[in-house]
Amino acid sequence: SDAFNIGFLVGETCKGISINNIKVEGKSTINADLTQVLPEHDYSRIGGIAGYADCPIGNVFVGNEVEITYIPKEGVNEGYAGGIIGYADRAILEGDIYSAANITGVKVGGILGWNSSCGTRYSAAITNEGNINATVIGAGIVAIWSSDIDEFKAEMNNRGNITVNHKDSYGMVCGGGLIGMSDIDLTKINLSGLSDGAVAVNSESGVDVYAGWKVGISASSSYMDTVEANAGYTGSPTITATSNGGKCYINGHLQNGATSDGYEKEEWN
């Protein structure tokens, strides 16, 4: 497909509906290659359930044979892919939310590509076990989290590996076990869940890179900073950050070319 909104169940939802008790199983693929066509739009939003969602979504399962691949137009560094939703706009997550989809794209989250004011209710438990491969931002749960909500108290767990390989001169490159880039008040989020996948963020072009076992970068200076967001280890991931001349940050600490070889629940500086 070369559509703007792409999903196995629905491309774009509308308010007034709800999605519940859906499974995507077996060998299932989405391939969105915008280099082969001349689409009217510059990028796509892709999800294992919905490309764009603004409604309640509960008890959904995306299995480990699911493959989502997004290739952007030449020179375009936009596009969002998630194991459940590509772009979540005030959607509500309920109950068990699970994805093991293996996803390749530009800005990629194991559950949500972009979270804009998405909330939770009914004791939501959110889990990703798929591997994430991105060119700009990658994360186990949410690639980009913008727009505050009252609270988001779901338990978030990631067991997938996060890899970000960046080659051009685009500004911010980051990856996190739970969240890639956050622009919200992280004190409203439950960050105590398991983060046990490896995180590797690499740039060939010399831009600054950010890697965190929970959060790649907390970009809102008025709230919890990146170092605080990554405190309290509940897994033993390996985290790598490299750049061809740029600065490298691991868990908010400046460490040029640094690699951590497993945390073992001890503070690493």
Side-chain angles (χ1 to χ4, degrees):
S1 176
D2 65 335
F4 185 38
N5 295 312
I6 307 167
F8 282 117
L9 180 67
V10 60
E12 179 177 354
T13 67
C14 58
K15 291 188 181 299
I17 72 164
S18 63
I19 294 172
N20 293 284
N21 303 316
I22 300 294
K23 287 187 176 182
V24 179
E25 295 182 293
K27 184 64 176 178
S28 307
T29 62
I30 290 177
N31 184 48
D33 187 347
L34 272 63
T35 66
Q36 304 301 312
V37 292
L38 295 173
E40 296 180 0
H41 50 274
D42 287 333
Y43 62 91
S44 293
R45 306 185 293 196
I46 308 167
I49 299 296
Y52 170 93
D54 58 359
C55 68
I57 294 180
N59 297 314
V60 290
F61 175 98
V62 177
N64 62 6
E65 291 186 89
V66 172
E67 302 279 346
I68 297 175
T69 302
Y70 167 67
I71 304 173
K73 292 171 63 175
E74 185 175 354
V76 175
N77 283 297
E78 290 297 328
Y80 311 100
I84 303 299
I85 307 171
Y87 191 104
D89 184 7
R90 298 186 180 275
I92 301 294
L93 302 180
E94 307 171 332
D96 291 325
I97 307 294
Y98 175 92
S99 175
N102 297 302
I103 312 174
T104 299
V106 177
K107 298 174 182 178
V108 182
I111 302 298
L112 308 176
W114 185 303
N115 181 352
S116 178
S117 301
C118 180
T120 61
R121 63 186 181 191
Y122 304 145
S123 301
I126 301 174
T127 303
N128 173 67
E129 294 188 346
N131 293 322
I132 304 303
N133 292 283
T135 58
V136 178
I137 299 175
I141 304 298
V142 180
I144 302 174
W145 202 321
S146 67
S147 302
D148 269 336
I149 54 172
D150 290 337
E151 63 179 25
F152 188 102
K153 295 301 183 182
E155 177 183 307
M156 296 185 292
N157 298 296
N158 174 62
R159 298 180 181 87
N161 295 323
I162 315 301
T163 304
V164 182
N165 286 318
H166 175 264
K167 295 183 179 181
D168 57 37
S169 58
Y170 184 82
M172 183 179 292
V173 181
C174 50
L178 299 180
I179 302 168
M181 191 276 284
S182 165
D183 197 24
I184 69 167
D185 183 356
L186 287 172
T187 63
K188 297 180 179 180
I189 298 175
N190 180 0
L191 288 172
S192 63
L194 177 70
S195 178
D196 211 21
V199 180
V201 185
N202 310 294
S203 175
E204 297 179 7
S205 63
V207 302
D208 294 348
V209 302
Y210 303 84
W213 84 290
K214 284 186 176 180
V215 179
I217 182 169
S218 177
S220 179
S221 59
S222 59
Y223 299 124
M224 181 187 296
D225 67 18
T226 308
V227 174
E228 290 180 278
N230 284 295
Y233 301 110
T234 57
S236 298
T238 296
I239 302 188
T240 308
T242 64
S243 181
N244 185 20
K247 296 178 180 178
C248 297
Y249 294 86
I250 292 181
N251 288 347
H253 300 286
L254 177 62
Q255 297 286 341
N256 281 331
T259 300
S260 75
D261 189 17
Y263 283 94
E264 297 179 355
K265 300 185 179 180
E266 295 180 1
E267 188 70 27
W268 184 83
N269 293 300

